[in-house]
Amino acid sequence: MNISETTPTTTTTPGPAWPSARGFISILATIPIAITSFAIGFGVGTNHDGEGTVNYEWAQIGPGEALLDADLATYSASKITESAPVAPSDLPVGFTDHLGVSVAFVTFTVNAEHVHDDAEFELITPFAERLPEGSSKLIEATSVDPGICTCNLTPDVLPRFGRTHDTVAVDEESTAAILDVSSAISEAGEYGFAITTSSDDSSVVLNGITGHEHGPSLRVSHGAEEPDAPATPGPWPIPFQEPTGESTTEEPASESPSSEPATDAPTTQPNAEDPVSESPTAPDRGSLFSPRDEPTADPSDEPTTTPSEDPTGEPTSDPSDEPTTTPSEDPTGEPTADPSDEPTTTPSEDPTDEPTGGPVDDPPPSDPVTDEPQNDLADCRIGEKLVPTCGALVGVAPAAHTGLPRYSSLLEFEETVQRTQHIHHAYERSDDAVFPNEELVQIASDPDNPRLLFINWKPQITSWANIAAGNDRVDAYLDELAEHLTTEYTDPFFFTVHHEPENNVRPQPGSGWEAADYAAMYRYVIEYLRDKGVENLVTVMNYMAYLRWVEPEWHADLYPGDDIIDWIGWSTYGHSDPTSHGHADFADIVNRQAEGYQWPGYYNWSATTYPDKPIMLAEWGVFYHESRPQHQGEVFRSTGPQLSHFPRVKAIVYFDSPNAEGRDSRVNVREDNLSDFRRLMQHRHFDVSLN
């Protein structure tokens, strides 16, 4: 029996022209094969007891359990400018042409009687209709400020996302998504959650608190055994196969303008005011829901790849340590320079060391002096491991590939985009000069505009394997670096070792540059520094989001380990050239998939493989092309709404370069595109205090 036969007909009363979600779920589904093989059943919670009967196990209360109804359940849609509906019968989540990007919000009251040391809390979101046959999605639950009022909930004033607590996979058999939110609740109070999906081409419709037998609820259990409890999500177990589809374009050899040429060797949620009491009647939501048109991206296009060079530096200093073989995935052409390395000398026309410019409209907010406890989901600020309590950080690698001084370039970028950046991304390749140097310290120490550093170090002395085995020259440098970081510069900063290592892997046994050698090298460097007393490194695993590199079996061997890595990051780019690949929108840049690749997308893979790690776009950008001069602006306009697909993304760092292997990612090539980027920089999601 179809689930729609077991639920009452939606009731409506006159109200705002919000669309009706009943009777429609888009036939489009994101990577059904990949998600289905990941964890189908994790969010299902149903048994079929004989033909035509559906048994909702998630609605049954066992010993030691309670089922709490939602106080509020509503949603916001990026294409609907009115305030959110008061008590809609249906809650669309995902994307449709008529609604744009939609997010559901629910709040609950948890009393003291429900909170115990062994208490577990599961957010249950029943589906208004099942997904189409053969489709599947990831659903996520993320903390938001519970003080939600539909009176002012619009696309421009969404609650900023806090911690994402759980990710589950659902398919056509699912009647609800069941998400573990125990990590959000430790005391009595009000709690709010955003329900999202990473699917940017289709939607799922959840039950609201009216018009259905079962609405959103919070199941509380106290150590009692539960029937068919969902399992904890784990790595995406998809064996990579040879591509089955034919690509229409040729992928370049490597992704990032910051990677080397292939031949170079290299909390508890605080109480908030009770939500405004809402009417239980559902407004008339019209009929804006309709089947989605074909996606705007060309499915035959391969994913965007970024240039293959590193914005900061010089070739490896010791060629004798480089492998003599080339990688098996040889690029179609190799660059002759390393565009993401910054030269050690400055150009003859050196700008003023300390320009008077800078951001003009965006001084960081000062923290009010108050005796009241901070609400970490309303007043977003930096927390442990530099993870914002809500919202996301923005940053830049300014004037990459130009050799211009870092500080003046940063100030010029900030003045151009009219916002102080949270993060300055710097590339270091020296094995004899410690970091951060005086210029970087100046960037991070501005009392009026505090910033965080993201330092990207590529050791040049010897191979990964030799570093991991202990190399006298490398160890001597690490000793000097540790002294600097324990006495001269002790503020926390983001740090990675040899970013985008995929482009330098030599899979031949004994090469010294195997994927496992990279993981061992990264671990050796971090453990060595920690043993010397260094405590201010916040480590980032910076992958190259390039589909051909995720196919080899060695891809999984790159990861140094959860005890070494704090954040997961990757470098990813969009192209405006219509003859290239990856010329879609921000969602495609973040979570790219392609026909012929059994790859769920980097966001989906990271969310399920590393569920406890925040995500950073360590490099992102859009390459301008005169044949589509306004495409950059289109991507910048899509970024704000589409961030709602990706609540785990806690930092995005733009790579701004006039010449990334002949491509231009600058945000100010055209004034209209710059205006779109400026509007993005003012997005409320980025209002995070570093004080």
Side-chain angles (χ1 to χ4, degrees):
M1 177 184 298
N2 190 292
I3 185 173
S4 61
E5 299 178 28
T6 68
T7 56
T9 303
T10 302
T11 59
T12 60
T13 58
W18 278 82
S20 172
R22 293 288 292 152
F24 168 72
I25 297 179
S26 171
I27 61 172
L28 295 175
T30 301
I31 51 168
I33 296 176
I35 292 183
T36 301
S37 63
F38 158 55
I40 288 307
F42 178 61
V44 174
T46 64
N47 277 341
H48 294 270
D49 300 330
E51 186 174 353
T53 301
V54 178
N55 175 24
Y56 299 103
E57 289 189 355
W58 44 262
Q60 300 174 6
I61 305 301
E65 294 182 344
L67 202 62
L68 310 180
D69 292 332
D71 299 325
L72 177 144
T74 188
Y75 69 95
S76 179
S78 62
K79 291 187 177 181
I80 307 297
T81 59
E82 293 90 348
S83 296
V86 173
S89 58
D90 304 313
L91 308 173
V93 173
F95 177 85
T96 64
D97 276 342
H98 285 65
L99 290 179
V101 180
S102 52
V103 179
F105 297 97
V106 294
T107 65
F108 297 90
T109 300
V110 177
N111 297 324
E113 65 189 84
H114 302 131
V115 182
H116 301 279
D117 290 342
D118 62 346
E120 296 179 356
F121 297 88
E122 290 178 312
L123 175 57
I124 301 174
T125 59
F127 294 167
E129 292 185 5
R130 295 186 186 179
L131 298 179
E133 183 178 356
S135 65
S136 52
K137 297 183 185 301
L138 293 183
I139 306 293
E140 298 190 292
T142 300
S143 283
V144 294
D145 181 9
I148 299 171
C149 176
T150 58
C151 58
N152 60 10
L153 183 60
T154 67
D156 294 329
V157 194
L158 291 183
R160 287 163 291 182
F161 294 156
R163 176 181 176 182
T164 299
H165 301 282
D166 201 7
T167 302
V168 300
V170 297
D171 70 352
E172 72 270 16
E173 294 297 318
S174 305
T175 60
I178 303 176
L179 299 123
D180 186 351
V181 294
S182 301
S183 55
I185 302 172
S186 62
E187 61 184 28
E190 305 292 328
Y191 291 87
F193 300 97
I195 312 302
T196 61
T197 178
S198 57
S199 296
D200 65 312
D201 60 1
S202 56
S203 69
V204 60
V205 183
L206 313 176
N207 290 352
I209 57 177
T210 62
H212 299 281
E213 180 181 358
H214 301 290
S217 58
L218 192 65
R219 180 164 61 192
V220 186
S221 59
H222 301 294
E225 185 176 348
E226 301 177 31
D228 296 331
T232 301
W236 206 293
I238 305 170
F240 288 110
Q241 303 173 1
E242 291 297 320
T244 57
E246 294 295 328
S247 299
T248 59
T249 59
E250 182 67 24
E251 266 188 319
S254 63
E255 280 253 327
S256 171
S258 65
S259 67
E260 294 184 5
T263 54
D264 256 8
T267 176
T268 306
Q269 183 165 334
N271 295 344
E273 294 182 3
D274 291 342
V276 176
S277 176
E278 308 286 6
S279 165
T281 58
D284 182 5
R285 294 158 19 109
S287 58
L288 288 182
F289 256 97
S290 62
R292 168 159 162 70
D293 295 335
E294 291 300 312
T296 57
D298 186 348
S300 66
D301 284 339
E302 293 192 17
T304 301
T305 60
T306 56
S308 61
E309 306 191 16
D310 191 344
T312 61
E314 304 169 357
T316 305
S317 58
D318 190 353
S320 64
D321 287 325
E322 298 181 11
T324 57
T325 58
T326 56
S328 56
E329 295 82 6
D330 198 8
T332 56
E334 297 175 358
T336 58
D338 196 341
S340 71
D341 283 344
E342 299 175 4
T344 57
T345 60
T346 58
S348 56
E349 298 182 5
D350 191 357
T352 304
D353 287 340
E354 296 189 21
T356 58
V360 296
D361 292 334
D362 187 44
S366 58
D367 291 336
V369 178
T370 175
D371 293 330
E372 296 298 320
Q374 291 286 350
N375 180 351
D376 285 342
L377 292 171
D379 304 311
C380 304
R381 60 194 58 250
I382 291 298
E384 186 178 0
K385 299 296 184 182
L386 302 182
V387 180
T389 60
C390 57
L393 307 174
V394 290
V396 66
H401 306 315
T402 65
L404 295 173
R406 292 163 167 172
Y407 194 22
S408 59
S409 298
L410 174 61
L411 292 180
E412 182 178 351
F413 179 86
E414 291 179 333
E415 184 175 18
T416 299
V417 304
Q418 300 178 352
R419 181 170 190 124
T420 302
Q421 300 296 290
H422 296 111
I423 299 172
H424 174 78
H425 192 170
Y427 300 80
E428 297 286 350
R429 294 178 58 115
S430 174
D431 290 322
D432 53 19
V434 296
F435 52 78
N437 62 17
E438 183 177 351
E439 184 181 34
L440 291 179
V441 171
Q442 186 179 18
I443 289 173
S445 304
D446 184 341
D448 296 324
N449 297 292
R451 304 178 186 90
L452 299 169
L453 298 177
F454 177 20
I455 295 181
N456 189 322
W457 177 54
K458 279 194 174 182
Q460 303 297 299
I461 293 174
T462 187
S463 68
W464 295 337
N466 287 342
I467 295 174
N471 176 275
D472 289 344
R473 290 179 62 195
V474 174
D475 289 353
Y477 174 77
L478 293 177
D479 287 337
E480 186 180 358
L481 180 61
E483 176 70 16
H484 180 66
L485 295 178
T486 55
T487 61
E488 300 297 327
Y489 190 81
T490 58
D491 291 342
F493 64 94
F494 294 110
F495 177 68
T496 192
V497 185
H498 199 131
H499 78 308
E500 303 167 4
E502 297 95 320
N503 204 45
N504 295 91
V505 169
R506 307 295 187 263
Q508 296 81 7
S511 68
W513 301 91
E514 296 177 74
D517 295 330
Y518 172 80
M521 179 275 296
Y522 200 133
R523 171 174 288 276
Y524 181 88
V525 168
I526 299 304
E527 289 184 338
Y528 193 100
L529 293 173
R530 287 175 180 173
D531 288 344
K532 296 292 182 177
V534 175
E535 298 179 343
N536 55 339
L537 302 180
V538 177
T539 54
V540 181
M541 177 63 196
N542 190 169
Y543 289 100
M544 178 184 290
Y546 176 57
L547 289 188
R548 288 185 179 176
W549 289 142
V550 302
E551 291 187 294
E553 293 183 359
W554 52 255
H555 183 266
D557 296 333
L558 290 167
Y559 188 62
D562 284 346
D563 59 326
I564 297 299
I565 298 300
D566 298 317
W567 288 60
I568 300 297
W570 59 89
S571 305
T572 180
Y573 291 81
H575 288 245
S576 298
D577 182 354
T579 66
S580 186
H581 40 263
H583 48 83
D585 52 16
F586 181 75
D588 175 68
I589 289 175
V590 176
N591 200 34
R592 181 168 298 127
Q593 303 118 28
E595 182 179 355
Y597 289 88
Q598 287 197 337
W599 176 247
Y602 250 96
Y603 180 85
N604 289 340
W605 176 76
S606 299
T608 54
T609 306
Y610 309 113
D612 296 325
K613 305 295 183 183
I615 290 173
M616 172 191 292
L617 299 188
E619 292 178 10
W620 78 284
V622 184
F623 296 121
Y624 174 83
H625 196 272
E626 60 184 9
S627 65
R628 296 181 69 196
Q630 295 178 314
H631 177 249
Q632 271 190 324
E634 294 169 5
V635 175
F636 299 154
R637 291 195 301 274
S638 74
T639 301
Q642 290 181 345
L643 278 168
S644 294
H645 289 304
F646 312 114
R648 295 177 183 271
V649 173
K650 296 301 180 183
I652 62 173
V653 183
Y654 197 85
F655 189 87
D656 195 72
S657 173
N659 185 22
E661 291 188 350
R663 288 170 285 192
D664 192 340
S665 64
R666 290 175 300 170
V667 300
N668 62 342
V669 178
R670 285 173 55 103
E671 187 64 30
D672 52 353
N673 294 341
L674 173 60
S675 295
D676 290 322
F677 193 84
R678 285 173 172 170
R679 280 191 289 271
L680 172 62
M681 290 293 97
Q682 299 305 317
H683 197 285
R684 184 171 181 268
H685 197 58
F686 304 131
D687 290 342
V688 180
S689 172
L690 299 187
N691 291 322

